[in-house]
Amino acid sequence: MARHHAGSFGLGLVALVGACFSVDPTPLDPTFAVPVGTDTGTSTEAEPTTTATDGATSAVTTAADSESSADGTDTSPPGDSTGPAAPVCGNAIVEDGEECDDGNADDTDDCPSTCTLAICGDGFVLAGVEACDDGNPNNDDACLDTCVAASCGDGFVHSGVEGCDDQNMIDTDACPSTCVPASCGDGFVHTGVEECDDDNVVGGDGCGPTCLAECANPGGGGLTAENGTNMGVLYCYNAGDSTQVRASKACESHFGIGNCCVITGGYSDQQYGQCGLGGGGGSLHWHWDFHPAGHCDPNYVPGDVVSPGWCGVILGSFID
């Protein structure tokens, strides 16, 4: 009887425990062991999660939590650099990287707006020092590499402006003072090439079209005049020749180059004639000054050609 009672009590206890721990047949979520569809009382949406499927530990991080990426690249926000600030040209403070800083943008002083000291070739004209500055080393343009404006005679041929430049102002060489190559008709007698050059190429005026003299004293100049003998003989002279020089050239046109001398002993030695002939006989005299009073009548004037002798007849004038 007692055995039966104990068995009944045991069965009842089992039934009671089973009632308290009854098993819900709903399947569990394998992640959190929460029954699928079970309301937890906090949210109806599950939080996003990361599941390690290869056995590695997963971690949830944000960009704000880290300053470097997995490959070591710096991902710090901009503005964190600790390097020196770039120099500011024009703030009147000479900073690293500047040669000068005068606090202005004037490009004609010794510190232009580049904050580098002014030098020839920087493209800025330094007032009172440079005549020009084109920023290049070319010497065939309008501004030389010395920052001096190109000019005839500087030794450099200015492209499109000059045909030559031999660094001198000599008019008898291949490049006269015009910096145009010498040529017949330019008005300059090219030594060793031309006998005359009267600034034209017209014949019959004492200097032919090929710059060969048509006068009796070749090489005497670019202008011509009758030599005063009324014999139709032309002599050459230059515009700047004095009356004395012209008298000598006119005499040479009659007696030959180097054959005329000052005749001494009369008229204050102011006339030319044939060397060694003196003032007598049938000599001709080319007067470059007035005949002194009290001598021959009439009183001769500059340019008169007298023959024969001291007190001869006036044949004509070599000054026209």
Side-chain angles (χ1 to χ4, degrees), residues 63-90:
D65 294 331
S66 174
E67 292 185 353
S68 62
S69 62
D71 61 1
T73 303
D74 186 4
T75 59
S76 301
D80 288 349
S81 174
T82 58
V88 178
C89 181

Side-chain angles (χ1 to χ4, degrees), residues 181-207:
S183 63
C184 179
D186 61 10
F188 305 112
V189 179
H190 188 181
T191 302
V193 178
E194 301 172 334
E195 290 183 342
C196 60
D197 197 315
D198 56 0
D199 206 19
N200 66 60
V201 289
V202 177
D205 58 359
C207 187

